[in-house]
């Protein structure tokens, strides 16, 4: 997920369910970056233009 090892799991006294809650949707930013890179790779060279 792009976080350092132990970012959540090394917190003393934090249960497994609390760890998962703390992580929340942390996986989304790396997925969004990948999706944008894929879209930019397939975008037209001139970009989008407004229809007249």
């Amino acid at each position: 997920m792009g976080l350092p090892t132990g970012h959540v799991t090394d917190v003393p006294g934090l249960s497994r369910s609390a760890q998962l809650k703390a992580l929340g949707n942390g996986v989304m930013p790396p997925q969004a970056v990948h999706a944008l890179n894929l879209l930019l790779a397939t975008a037209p060279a001139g970009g989008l233009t407004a229809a007249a």
Side-chain angles (χ1 to χ4, degrees):
M1 290 180 26
L3 298 171
T5 302
H7 179 74
V8 173
T9 57
D10 284 347
V11 177
L14 201 59
S15 68
R16 172 84 172 140
S17 61
Q19 291 175 13
L20 293 173
K21 186 175 182 179
L23 288 171
N25 288 331
V27 74
M28 297 309 292
Q31 288 176 334
V33 168
H34 182 66
L36 288 172
N37 286 332
L38 289 174
L39 288 171
L40 289 172
T42 60
L48 298 176
T49 57

